[in-house]
Amino acid sequence: MAAARRHLRKLLLSAERGEELHVLPMPWLSHRKLASFAYVAEQYGYRYDGFAPEYSPSTPTHVFAFRRTADAQQRAASTMEQYPDALRGGPLPGMRPGGSGLRPLPEASREVALLLARIMVDVTGSQYRRKRIRFAVTAAVIGLVVILVRGAFTAASVDGFLTGILPVIGGLSLLFLAAYVLGRRLSRRWAAKYRRMLDEAGVEWPINRLG
């Protein structure tokens, strides 16, 4: 709950300064929590807008943007009136009290689900997926090379290296390959699932701002 309120406080500072975009590095492991926070942010006048302009998919951390709505000032004023204690431990808009503070109430569940669908379509997009996979493969190769070199220097003999280190390298390589294949399949399945959810709800995503 502390994280949710900390990031909400930062968002409200952006609102006070009238900033068009509020940038949020991914603060939770769960995209569902991010979707719940996006719902809360919308009540204060900032709508989920996808990846931040400066976001680089070559890094493992996602950075998201929230765009100020035309009626942001009115939204924020109304929400603050209804939830005066949101920053002081009270319930957040549309969320159940207690716990992490980011568990949606039944009346907010559909909107949170559609926000989650937008987020998942973004994070499973092909251009971002390819670059993240490239990053992961590079990290895995470097890790294997480090193990290989260290094993070569610490092995008592050539036979010890061949029988001790190479099987470990082979096993880790197979493990990385299996994780890679499984990750690609899951990513494509999630992308199709959430794209279908948005299509059925009539939600255009991503928004074409040039059209």
Side-chain angles (χ1 to χ4, degrees):
M1 182 178 292
R5 298 185 200 288
R6 182 172 65 253
H7 289 292
L8 177 57
R9 190 172 289 109
K10 291 180 180 179
L11 182 138
L12 292 178
L13 287 175
S14 294
E16 288 179 10
R17 293 190 290 260
E19 295 178 357
E20 180 68 15
L21 286 179
H22 174 75
V23 175
L24 175 69
M26 180 63 171
W28 300 285
L29 293 176
S30 168
H31 289 104
R32 292 184 183 276
K33 285 189 177 181
L34 177 63
S36 293
F37 181 81
Y39 178 91
V40 172
E42 193 166 326
Q43 311 315 305
Y44 288 94
Y46 279 86
R47 187 165 291 139
Y48 174 75
D49 200 57
F51 289 115
E54 64 271 27
Y55 169 64
S56 172
S58 62
T59 61
T61 301
H62 296 140
V63 182
F64 299 100
F66 293 79
R67 185 175 296 274
R68 186 176 173 86
T69 62
D71 60 345
Q73 191 170 355
Q74 297 92 321
R75 280 175 178 257
S78 175
T79 301
M80 288 178 182
E81 184 177 352
Q82 294 180 61
Y83 298 89
D85 297 322
L87 292 177
R88 297 188 295 272
L92 299 173
M95 301 294 125
R96 301 177 188 271
S100 68
L102 290 175
R103 295 178 301 141
L105 292 165
E107 56 267 29
S109 294
R110 174 173 165 76
E111 287 303 315
V112 172
L114 291 176
L115 283 164
L116 175 62
R118 293 178 178 93
I119 292 167
M120 294 305 294
V121 165
D122 289 338
V123 302
T124 57
S126 59
Q127 59 173 317
Y128 300 98
R129 186 177 65 245
R130 283 197 300 270
K131 291 187 178 182
R132 290 198 305 275
I133 288 174
R134 192 181 307 136
F135 180 89
V137 169
T138 301
V141 170
I142 291 173
L144 291 174
V145 169
V146 169
I147 294 173
L148 187 63
V149 171
R150 184 173 181 179
F153 278 103
T154 58
S157 64
V158 174
D159 288 341
F161 175 76
L162 294 176
T163 59
I165 302 301
L166 287 187
V168 173
I169 295 294
L172 288 175
S173 299
L174 290 175
L175 182 62
F176 288 140
L177 179 61
Y180 169 78
V181 173
L182 179 61
R184 290 198 64 177
R185 288 181 179 177
L186 288 176
S187 185
R188 288 175 178 172
R189 185 176 301 175
W190 288 337
K193 170 188 173 181
Y194 289 109
R195 170 59 63 192
R196 185 167 57 251
M197 183 185 299
L198 292 175
D199 290 343
E200 290 174 353
V203 176
E204 177 191 357
W205 191 261
I207 296 173
N208 180 10
R209 299 191 184 281
L210 301 179

